[in-house]
Every structure is written in structure tokens, then in C-alpha cells.
Amino acid sequence: MEYIIDIQGIKKSYKKRKSKEIIQAVKGVSFQVKRGEVVGLLGPNGAGKTTTIKMMCGLLLPNEGTIKINGIDIGKQRLKALRHISTVLEGNRNLYWRLTVRENLEYFSGNRGLSKKAVSAQIDELLERLNLTHKANEMVNSLSRGMQQKVSIAVALLSNTEIIFLDEPTLGLDIETSYEVRKLLKDIAKEYNKTILLSSHDMPVVQEICERVIIINEGRIVSDERVSDLLELFDTKAYSFTVNSVLSDKNLKEIQNHFMAELELNDGMQSVITVTITHSEDFYKVINLFEEMNIEIDKVDRSIIDFEQVFLKIVKGEMKREIAATV
Amino acid sequence: MFFGIKVVGDPSSMETNIQYTIVSYVFWFLSMGAMQGIGWSIMSEAQLGTLEQMYMSPMGAWRILLARIVSTTLQQLIILAVLLYLSMLVTGTWLNIDVVSILPVLIFTIISMFGISFMIAGMAIIIKQINAFLQVLQFILMGLTFFPMSISPLLAVLPVVKGVDMIRGIMIQNQTLLDFHWADYASLIANAIIYLVLGILVFKRCERTAMTKGVLGQY
């Protein structure tokens, strides 16, 4: 199968300005994206997300590796590859603040070789679709941050490319605006059938919009899973056991010798211990272990692990073993 | 400036001095705009943060910048024409405005200016803050536009010098295109092509360096 995005072993290192120390921002990242897929690139600050996206846009040259966009090697035929990509870069760096919304849209489509006349109707349609018609003739610097982000997205959509890269699209937005932009991106993914690669450290954005998530940390991919699989995997494997007694250190150690377990509460009356298991049959082994230790279980709850916790655990490396076991 | 020439200049050569100053001054003004234009454009885009977005264009940044500099130079030529007539009016000295003869020479002279502009833009892409250099450049450009070729024929290898000298010949000495030797044209055209090609190559090399170092979007 030919992938619309094919990245093989990209590496990027920088020299720090003052100390001349070499920083390895990306240490051999490889992944592929299918046509029409919506993929999230998730990672903490400094993980290498923006560097990866910039290399995919040809704004940064990798030290090693290849990036193919629709079969075109961006390192060799950058301009040809750019015909397939539009990008919403991080922050307020996508628009001319002293131009109006419409002028920005016209200018950027001109930069892609489209005439003002050719895109006029499309601009009207997009402004209407994004609820920006009443702001069309207002200068961008008078718009709210959320509105500006919407205009940036409109610029990307106007290019009519198959691929859209979004670098931290909700960064710096308040909760309400972030929700609005999230909803817009979700609708775009559904309606326009674009291949979207979105980088973020905002978990709900990725959870809500993306089908697949690539988690990157310290310049390496630590996980590449479908969002639903990741959630399912961690959602069903953690249980909270409430016992009507104080769990002794000896008993706790015994449980921890067999399973990944954490004492959540020990208030002198009750103890709550969360056990994370790899296989479903381990659940019965936990019950047996409690029985062997003569500990009466009062309650068993399935712990709900949200995407944020999954992400944190993967980034900390705690869940690498579990992922490896399931892949 | 013209008043100064009138007060302290040699009265016997005053007319020629004024004519010489008008032509050189007008070209100094033109070269400042044309040679610094792309550099300023890069700096301003970097400051606004839109430089990387410009680099996302499949047209190529150099083409966008070339289109910008051509349009601003055309605007500047209108201002220049006004400035030229104003200077002539103020000094009461009239020059030979033979558009047919001036235009071809002017086009090649401007092309060599664009080449230098691309070199400066290349520098701006990597260093960004080149304001101090641009200030100094004004005086270098003054030298280039005011130097007569009579000093040394080797000056023909520098940008602008040959073109301005030929235009001075047309405007001051009433020369026409037929009065120039083929070597003059060869030198003028070669100068324009070499500087433009060299400028674009330097610019593209600097782009690559900026992309390797990761300083394209930095300011």
C-alpha cells in the first residue's frame, strides 16, 4: 500500500547557540499515514513534535532519513511536495495582522498560484462555513485569538490540499475557544476527507479528533496506536480493590511481587489498592491471591483511566511493557 | 545638496556637476530601494512570524520575493520620475530624457540590483537582524552610483556602475544607444545576468543553511 505520508528514520540535531552543545531533537522517527487518516502527534514539551512537523513541511532539513509526501521525496522535490500540504503553524504565525480576513485569504491563495477571481466564491463559502462572514473585512489584529485560529484554518482549507498539518492548534486558547476549534477540526476531518496530522500536548484534542495517535517523547516514538485501542487497553486493565482491613506491608509486597499494584488508601479502617493487569485471566489470579492472604474483598471497581493518564504513563515508560505485549 | 554645489563648486563646471549629481542621486535612491527591498521584506516577515508560512508556498519563496521587488521597484520608478523632474526644476538644469535609450540600460542595471538584493536577503534569512549592515550599505551604494567609469574600467565588474555610467552618457552627454560599443552592452548584460544568477544561488544556499540550522522562523 502506498502511504500519503511515509517517514523513514528521520533524525535532527541542533547546536545550541551559546554552549555549542548538540541537542538531538528527533532520534530516528519512522511512521506512515494512510490517505484520509486523522493522526495525532502527541508528546510533552520538547518531545520533538514541532521539529518533526517542520521537517515534514520541508522547513527543516533532517540530518538523516527520508520524508515522502504522496510519493514525493520532500528533501529532493520540496516545492512539488508542498502542493499537497497546507500547514497551520504554532501560535500567531500564520496571518498578516494588518490585512483583513478576506485579504489574508486572497493573499495566501495567491501564494499558491490561485487568482483572486478563482477563489472568490470559495472564500465566501468558507467564511460562511466557519462563521466568519461578519468579520471578513476586519483586520486580523482586531480579532480574538480563537477567531484568528479559525482564519488560519480557513487559509489551510482554501489551499485545497490533501494533507493538512496542524501544529498545536489549541495552544493558548481559553477553554471555550479551544472547544470551538476542536469541534471545527472534528467537522473538517469528517466533511472534507482530508489527511490530517495534528500535533498537540492537549490530550482532549487528540482524543476527540484523531483516529490514531503517535506518542513521541525525547525524540522517539514511544507508542503508535489507534486512540480507541489505547483507551480500551488501559481502561480494562486497572482495578481498584477495597478491603475492610488494613493492608500490611507484607501483604502489599506480596501483591506487588506478582502485579503492578499501588496502595491508594490505608486509613486504618479500609485499604484501597489499585492493581494493573496485563491479561484478563490475571484478574482471577488477583482474587485468588487475596483469598490466600485471607483478605476479604469488600468492593472491586474498574478504574477509569482517561487518555491523559494513558499518555502520562506511556511517556514515563511505565506502560511500554504492556504495549509491547499487545502489539 | 544642489545649493552646496552652487555655493562652493567650481562655477566653470557647475552645470555638469549638477547634472552628474542629479543622475547619480536618483540612481542612489533607486538602488537603495531595489537592493535592500528583499532584505527588509525578509526581516519584516521574520518579525511578524509569517516567514515560515511564506516558505510553505509551492511557488518558492524566491519567486514571491522577486514578484514583490519587481512591483516595489515599478512603484519606485514612478517616484523616481517625479524626483528627477523636481530636481531638474529646482536646479534649473535640464537633462536628456530619452526613454527609448534609457529604458533598456535601466532594465539591465535594475536586474543586477536584484541580484545583490537576493544576496542581502540570503544574509537576512540566516542572521535576521541586518539593520546595521543596511545602514552601512547605503554608503557603499552611494559609491557605486557616484563612481564614474573613467576612474577604472575594472569598475564594470561591480554591480550598477556600468549601467549608471551609460545612463549618465545618455542623460548628460546626449548619447543614444547607437553611440555605445558592443563591449559596453556585453559588459552591461553579463553584469546583470551574473549578479542575478549569483544572487539567487547565494539566496538558495542561505535558505538551505537556515533550514539545516533551524533558524528559518527565528527572529
Side-chain angles (χ1 to χ4, degrees), chain A residues 6 13 19-21 29 51 71 84 110 114-115 134 155 161 182 203 209 212 221 248 255 277 283 306 317:
Chain A
D6 185 4
S13 53
S19 63
K20 303 286 174 199
E21 184 194 345
V29 164
T51 305
H84 303 274
L114 304 163
S115 75
H134 61 296
V155 169
T161 56
R182 245 150 59 192
M203 262 62 68
I209 302 163
R212 179 180 149 206
I221 292 178
S248 67
I255 300 167
I277 55 173
F283 177 78
D306 64 15

Side-chain angles (χ1 to χ4, degrees), chain A residues 226-256:
Chain A
R226 299 198 74 75
V227 172
S228 55
D229 289 350
L230 265 186
L231 286 170
E232 198 182 335
L233 175 70
F234 296 105
D235 190 26
T236 54
K237 299 283 189 311
Y239 295 90
S240 279
F241 293 87
T242 307
V243 294
N244 283 328
S245 60
V246 177
L247 204 63
S248 67
D249 287 347
K250 191 185 159 201
N251 286 341
L252 180 64
K253 269 191 183 163
E254 182 63 19
I255 300 167
Q256 283 174 335

Side-chain angles (χ1 to χ4, degrees), chain A residues 12 78 94 96 107 111, chain B residues 45 53 55 57 59 68 212:
Chain A
K12 183 72 198 172
R78 185 175 173 269
N94 301 289
Y96 290 92
Y107 173 77
N111 266 4
Chain B
E45 294 273 351
Q53 202 51 267
Y55 267 88
S57 164
M59 310 285 286
R68 281 188 194 175
T212 306

